Amino acid sequence: MPVHWYYNPGDILRQFPPHGIQRMEAAPAIHPSSIMALHSTSRGGRGWQAEDHRKDIVGEVILKGKRHLWGRPNGHYHHGMQAGENTLNAWWARWVMQSLSRHGDYKAIRWVDEYIEKMTADPAEHPDTYAESCHRGFFANLQNGCAPTDCGAVTHDTPSMGALVSVAPLALALLATLELGAVQQHCREHVRLTHPDETLLKVVDSYVALLAALLERAEGASCLDSLSEAAAVIPGTRLPELLSQSRGDAFVVGRTYSLACYITDSWPSVCYLAARYHDDPRKALLRNTNLGGENAHRGSVLGTLVGLSSGSFDAELYDALFGQAELDRQITQWLDRFYPLDMV
């Protein structure tokens, strides 16, 4: 979170010397790569905020009371957030997890109403000051009279990594009782609500299949074949070749593939990092963070994959999460609902 969308990794080292991010940190006051001032406050994508002010989504519909934090030079996307706090998309995943625990199943028509309620709450039910294009576009369409299930907006960044953040708690819950094809269909339906893009939905299918393969993998079996197959959903991605190159992670995540959010670059990047650090969750997460760019949403997906691959997590990082006790309670409720001890 503190170095989300830093596109020059050197800036991370300068703000967090000498080795970059090594623990939970608060958001700095200055963000050297921020283009938040270019992002529209009335719809998805970019646009002149001053001209849009009369019909703001940001500040009036969502992120109430936080409009003044947009439009400032070098403003941090996650202004004022403390060390270990969750960004909006991570809260989105938490809300999905809570909904599943409460209802025991998933219905898109029910979830979209819960999503609207959570996003428009006053005061806000999350600490973030930024909402991705998908959220702004969704509520712009909702304000224009679209049906809730038809509010997904199409912009230049619709096929993006942020769409996958809320998939894991849904897919893993449904995989406890449903066949893979049915789970993929539910997850497609879920993602389409906010990200209607066919290329992205193919990645969703691949991600869910990968989660299933890692969940069912025999102890000690390699995860590399499953990761390679998943990465190949982006044409031309050959994971074994990426792993064999000797020029370092930044050559793959930053040179071969962009640091930006676009799924055609961020999905191969996640698969590469998961394959390289599949047995070391802490190293995977810190390495991803210090590469910069779309590291927050990459990190959410990467943490899921490496956690399943290694069968472990980093207790020090987990315990440093803000509000860890409440998060632990929510995860326990989810586990008790879908993976009770008598089932394991």
Side-chain angles (χ1 to χ4, degrees):
M1 175 275 292
V3 291
H4 192 192
W5 289 310
Y6 277 47
Y7 283 104
N8 181 356
D11 288 333
I12 300 176
L13 296 175
R14 279 186 283 275
Q15 285 197 323
F16 296 93
H19 303 300
I21 297 287
Q22 299 299 315
R23 61 184 183 184
M24 298 295 179
E25 300 277 3
I30 300 298
H31 189 305
S33 304
S34 177
I35 57 169
M36 191 173 171
L38 301 179
H39 293 184
S40 174
T41 55
S42 66
R43 62 181 187 272
R46 299 173 187 171
W48 291 102
Q49 294 180 4
E51 293 179 3
D52 292 338
H53 186 62
R54 289 176 298 171
K55 51 180 181 179
D56 274 339
I57 296 300
V58 172
E60 297 177 19
V61 181
I62 63 174
L63 300 176
K64 292 172 181 175
K66 297 179 179 180
R67 170 64 178 82
H68 66 287
L69 298 171
W70 291 57
R72 304 181 306 164
N74 296 116
H76 200 289
Y77 295 88
H78 309 297
H79 174 83
M81 286 182 62
Q82 300 304 302
E85 284 195 304
N86 288 155
T87 62
L88 172 55
N89 280 27
W91 275 95
W92 190 13
R94 288 177 67 167
W95 295 333
V96 170
M97 184 173 65
Q98 289 174 266
S99 177
L100 290 163
S101 297
R102 183 165 59 252
H103 299 294
D105 63 355
Y106 177 83
K107 292 182 172 61
I109 189 67
R110 180 180 66 213
W111 161 251
V112 76
D113 288 339
E114 293 178 355
Y115 166 73
I116 292 168
E117 179 183 358
K118 292 289 189 182
M119 289 291 292
T120 58
D122 189 10
E125 295 192 17
H126 63 86
D128 213 341
T129 56
Y130 183 72
E132 278 200 298
S133 181
C134 66
H135 302 296
R136 290 177 278 126
F138 179 96
F139 283 96
N141 287 340
L142 187 66
Q143 291 295 298
N144 288 333
C146 293
T149 52
D150 295 322
C151 284
V154 177
T155 64
H156 73 285
D157 53 4
T158 297
S160 61
M161 177 54 67
L164 300 187
V165 174
S166 65
V167 169
L170 174 59
L172 292 170
L174 298 183
L175 284 168
T177 56
L178 299 180
E179 296 295 327
L180 174 59
V183 177
Q184 288 172 318
Q185 186 57 39
H186 278 299
C187 290
R188 271 180 161 256
E189 189 177 15
H190 174 72
V191 171
R192 191 183 287 112
L193 291 170
T194 50
H195 294 78
D197 181 271
E198 189 56 35
T199 296
L200 175 62
L201 295 177
K202 290 178 181 177
V203 176
V204 170
D205 286 344
S206 184
Y207 182 33
V208 175
L210 176 57
L211 292 175
L214 294 176
L215 191 65
E216 297 166 4
R217 182 171 54 101
E219 186 175 353
S222 174
C223 62
L224 297 183
D225 287 346
S226 295
L227 286 163
S228 295
E229 183 178 350
V233 71
I234 301 300
T237 303
R238 292 178 286 275
L239 191 57
E241 292 182 17
L242 296 175
L243 293 168
S244 67
Q245 62 84 31
S246 59
R247 284 179 278 190
D249 295 339
F251 183 80
V252 176
V253 186
R255 294 286 298 277
T256 306
Y257 295 103
S258 167
L259 291 170
C261 66
Y262 308 113
I263 201 68
T264 50
D265 291 272
S266 52
W267 177 246
S269 295
V270 163
C271 292
Y272 164 79
L273 291 170
R276 184 165 291 285
Y277 301 110
H278 61 89
D279 59 350
D280 192 337
R282 183 182 185 88
K283 191 170 185 179
L285 293 172
L286 293 181
R287 189 73 189 108
N288 168 71
T289 299
N290 288 297
L291 286 166
E294 174 58 302
N295 50 14
H297 300 144
R298 280 199 323 258
S300 179
V301 176
L302 177 64
T304 302
L305 296 178
V306 176
L308 285 170
S309 298
S310 66
S312 65
F313 67 101
D314 188 276
E316 182 181 351
L317 289 177
Y318 180 72
D319 290 344
L321 287 169
F322 192 90
Q324 184 267 349
E326 175 60 16
L327 176 61
D328 203 56
R329 185 188 68 81
Q330 292 171 359
I331 292 173
T332 298
Q333 286 182 332
W334 181 91
L335 285 169
D336 287 346
R337 172 67 98 157
F338 297 103
Y339 292 93
L341 288 176
D342 59 1
M343 173 184 171
V344 177

